[in-house]
Amino acid sequence: MDKEEELKLEYTKELRICEEKEDQLARNKTKVFQEMDDYIKETEYWAGKLPYGREALSEAYRNFQNESLELEDRFHQERKRIMNEMEELEQNYKKELRNLEH
C-alpha cells in the first residue's frame, strides 16, 4: 500500500468516526426531546387530576420551552464542532496529499 492509499484510508476512517459522532448526537437529541415530550404528556395527565393542575401545566410548559431552547443550542454547538472537525480533517488530508506530490 503506498502513502497516498494509507493517507486516504486514515482520512476515511477518521471521517467515519466523525459521522458516527454526528449520528449519535442526532439519536441523543431525539431521545432527549422524546423524554421531554413524555414529561409534558404526564404533566398534562396529572393537571386534570390534581388541584392546581393548570398551574403545574403552565410551569411544565415554561420549563420545557426553556430547557428545549438550551438543549437545542447545545446540540447545535456540538454538531458545529463535529462539522468543524470534519472540515479540518479534509483540509489536513488535502495538505498531506499535496505534500506527497512534492
Side-chain angles (χ1 to χ4, degrees):
M1 184 180 299
D2 67 2
K3 289 282 187 188
E4 189 174 329
E5 289 173 335
E6 287 178 23
L7 187 61
K8 185 175 182 178
L9 185 64
E10 183 64 27
Y11 168 70
T12 304
K13 177 183 161 188
E14 293 295 324
L15 194 59
R16 279 192 210 131
I17 291 170
C18 287
E19 289 169 346
E20 179 56 37
K21 286 179 188 177
E22 189 176 15
D23 291 344
Q24 184 64 40
L25 182 66
R27 286 189 297 272
N28 288 345
K29 179 180 176 182
T30 300
K31 180 182 176 189
V32 166
F33 280 94
Q34 182 60 51
E35 288 173 1
M36 292 174 77
D37 190 48
D38 292 346
Y39 169 75
I40 291 296
K41 287 178 183 173
E42 184 176 339
T43 303
E44 287 174 337
Y45 170 79
W46 287 107
K49 302 229 180 258
L50 299 172
Y52 307 108
R54 296 242 180 255
E55 290 84 0
L57 185 59
S58 293
E59 187 173 337
Y61 278 124
R62 279 193 301 278
N63 289 340
F64 175 74
Q65 288 173 337
N66 291 337
E67 287 182 29
S68 65
L69 289 174
E70 289 174 16
L71 286 171
E72 188 68 43
D73 187 48
R74 286 183 193 164
F75 283 120
H76 178 71
Q77 289 174 6
E78 182 63 18
R79 185 170 188 274
K80 187 175 180 179
R81 187 189 67 73
I82 292 169
M83 297 303 286
N84 287 341
E85 186 177 339
M86 292 170 78
E87 179 68 28
E88 185 178 322
L89 283 170
E90 182 178 4
Q91 289 174 1
N92 288 341
Y93 172 67
K94 288 178 180 179
K95 180 181 173 184
E96 291 294 325
L97 279 179
R98 282 192 300 272
N99 288 343
L100 286 176
E101 291 174 357
H102 292 28

